[in-house]
Amino acid sequence: MDICLRGGRVIDPARGMDAEADVLLKDGVVAKVGKGIDEGPGVRVVDARGCWVVPGLIDLHTHLREPGQEYKEDIATGTRAAAAGGYTAVCAMPNTVPPNDNRAVSELMVRRAAEVGVVRVYPVGAISKGLKGESLAEMGELRDAGCVAVSDDGHSVMNAELMRRAMEYARTFGLTIVQHCEDMTLSAGGAMNEGLVSTRAGIRAQPAAAESTMVARDIELCALTGARYHVAHVSSAESVRLIREAKARGLPVTCEVTPHHLTLTDEACARYDTSAKCNPPLRAAADVEALRAALADGTIDAVATDHAPHSAVEKEVEFEQAAFGMIGLETAVPLVLELVRAGRLSPADFVTRLSAGPARVFGLPGGSLADGAPADITVVDPDAAWTCESQTLRSRSHNSPFFGRPLRGRAALTIVGGCIVYSGERQA
Ligand SMILES: [Zn+2]
């Protein structure tokens, strides 16, 4: 059914728009944006007053866990969590079981997404076979099967020569290399950030330099090869400085940051809360501050969730034994809105970092409400007050440190290709 979103605040930095307007969606595309649109017969009118109407949010970093770990999440539950969080597209990371290092797995993900998914799913293929960092996966085959980027996420590509060749191939195939930056000889199995908190807690820790040394190496390889290179979940002030410098050199380097690295410090691990255990680990306050500044000035191109569902089996254990990662699709919007309310990020930048920015990084469709663009739209109620509770989460896993945190703002409506895939309760 065609839809007219009436009277919302339309924020579309891609076309320089921030104004009250109607948005008419017809035949799965944006037909018209303007004031006082006559929607015509048979069109469903939705009252969007008091809400932001923005191009659909795109997550560059989602672990959907299918195939192989459906007890944590699958494409049906993961895409429903995405829709409830305001996302119209997610990029599915390759550390499934088996890993997405070949055409068969990519095609399975694309097919399952078409069958049971409610948002767009773009697979990310592996850089190396089996994510082992030893020999390259067939990138041409992965691209032809629908992969939009390649990554060994969860692991760093430690071998510099292999990374160089990966970049050369990726460049040939027009794919972005996504690196989980961690010198694993330096992180050495550390379960949290190295600093005062880890010393007090007596937890084995990894220094921030485990990330930034890898960022520095890869930037040099990027200069050598000319490949598009993207730093996943950047977490430290030093990494941000290196990326800012690389961009000033004109290198095709981009990066993303997670909502949790923007809002929590390593203090969240002080009481051995395994839901706050993630990799890269939550850092010190000075790092959080540097990330916020870099998100505002555009050094950081995108917010990405690193949605990493785990069951109680992996999380309700001792801190050092617990799996890394937290869910994030359903809490990203209110957490980033905290920065908007604090005056650290403009509403237009909020939209850019969650939609047009990620679209640009992987060359995906979306990110704008231009006439004829796919009707992927998120209606955000910026003032809705709520708290995250396990019984209302769509995700199959509940590993989040944000339970009980008072949140403000959430998706009111998520539309993919002109179809409503999520509709929340509007606050009075
Ligand atoms: Zn990672």
Side-chain angles (χ1 to χ4, degrees):
M1 181 189 270
D2 296 333
I3 299 170
C4 185
L5 302 167
R6 182 74 79 196
R9 178 179 171 187
V10 179
I11 309 175
D12 182 11
R15 56 191 274 172
M17 182 167 186
D18 183 351
E20 205 168 282
D22 306 332
V23 177
L24 181 63
L25 311 176
K26 274 196 171 235
D27 304 320
V29 299
V30 177
K32 203 173 181 188
V33 179
K35 276 198 199 309
I37 289 177
D38 177 12
E39 75 276 2
V43 173
R44 175 171 173 187
V45 176
V46 175
D47 182 2
R49 284 175 299 174
C51 287
W52 295 358
V53 178
V54 308
L57 311 185
I58 299 169
D59 190 21
L60 293 177
H61 198 137
T62 308
H63 296 276
L64 290 176
R65 306 297 191 207
E66 183 176 354
Q69 294 184 310
E70 289 84 352
Y71 69 99
K72 299 184 184 193
E73 193 81 285
D74 60 28
I75 290 172
T77 59
T79 58
R80 273 162 187 77
Y87 286 94
T88 57
V90 297
C91 299
M93 301 310 281
N95 60 339
T96 46
V97 183
N100 183 15
D101 63 359
N102 66 77
R103 171 190 299 274
V105 178
S106 301
E107 286 174 350
L108 169 84
M109 289 165 85
V110 170
R111 192 174 65 244
R112 287 294 291 159
E115 286 167 1
V116 303
V118 299
V119 305
R120 300 181 201 274
V121 175
Y122 299 111
V124 173
I127 291 174
S128 69
K129 286 185 183 140
L131 308 172
K132 290 194 170 98
E134 291 162 6
S135 60
L136 293 180
E138 292 292 341
M139 283 185 205
E141 178 184 311
L142 290 168
R143 185 202 54 187
D144 293 346
C147 290
V148 295
V150 285
S151 179
D152 274 1
D153 184 53
H155 313 273
S156 234
V157 177
M158 285 292 291
N159 182 313
E161 198 271 334
L162 189 78
M163 188 54 142
R164 176 199 181 163
R165 283 195 290 122
M167 286 186 177
E168 286 167 350
Y169 277 107
R171 187 180 173 195
T172 308
F173 294 115
L175 293 167
T176 305
I177 290 268
V178 181
Q179 171 81 305
H180 167 118
C181 290
E182 176 187 352
D183 184 320
M184 294 186 289
T185 62
L186 191 52
S187 59
M192 67 173 291
N193 180 55
E194 184 178 300
L196 277 178
V197 185
S198 68
T199 306
R200 272 202 317 260
I203 294 173
R204 207 144 47 102
Q206 46 172 297
E211 176 181 86
S212 53
T213 51
M214 189 57 76
V215 171
R217 182 204 78 176
D218 283 355
I219 285 171
E220 292 313 306
L221 295 177
C222 172
L224 181 64
T225 61
R228 289 209 310 267
Y229 171 74
H230 180 72
V231 178
H233 42 54
V234 65
S235 69
S236 82
E238 183 58 16
S239 300
V240 158
R241 187 187 68 74
L242 290 163
I243 293 163
R244 187 177 284 121
E245 225 172 69
K247 287 185 164 196
R249 286 165 70 187
L251 298 176
V253 172
T254 55
C255 68
E256 67 189 31
V257 66
T258 72
H260 47 277
H261 287 105
L262 286 168
T263 48
L264 298 176
T265 66
D266 51 5
E267 289 284 351
C269 303
R271 283 188 292 278
Y272 312 98
D273 177 2
T274 60
S275 74
K277 180 179 175 184
C278 54
N279 198 16
L282 298 170
R283 303 287 186 193
D287 295 300
V288 174
E289 178 52 35
L291 295 173
R292 290 176 174 187
L295 186 66
D297 74 18
T299 300
I300 297 177
D301 302 84
V303 172
T305 66
D306 195 5
H307 179 79
H310 290 295
S311 77
V313 175
E314 290 93 17
K315 280 295 197 179
E316 288 178 12
V317 294
E318 272 186 55
F319 192 89
E320 294 202 15
Q321 267 67 58
F324 289 109
M326 61 181 77
I327 56 171
L329 287 167
E330 296 176 73
T331 47
V333 163
L335 292 173
V336 183
L337 281 173
E338 288 182 7
L339 300 181
V340 176
R341 274 194 302 276
R344 300 300 305 269
L345 205 61
S346 72
D349 286 339
F350 168 91
V351 176
T352 301
R353 304 289 183 268
L354 285 157
S355 182
R360 198 183 53 241
V361 168
F362 287 176
L364 304 175
S368 165
L369 302 177
D371 292 358
D376 291 5
I377 313 266
T378 305
V379 179
V380 175
D381 182 346
D383 295 315
W386 61 292
T387 44
C388 181
E389 287 163 6
S390 59
Q391 59 271 30
T392 53
L393 282 176
R394 265 70 172 178
S395 177
R396 182 164 289 146
S397 290
H398 295 164
N399 52 309
S400 168
F402 296 109
F403 287 115
R405 183 186 181 105
L407 299 169
R408 261 179 74 201
R410 69 190 309 179
L413 201 65
T414 308
I415 299 172
V416 177
C419 299
I420 294 175
V421 295
Y422 171 78
S423 175
E425 299 280 309
R426 280 287 298 279
Q427 295 295 113

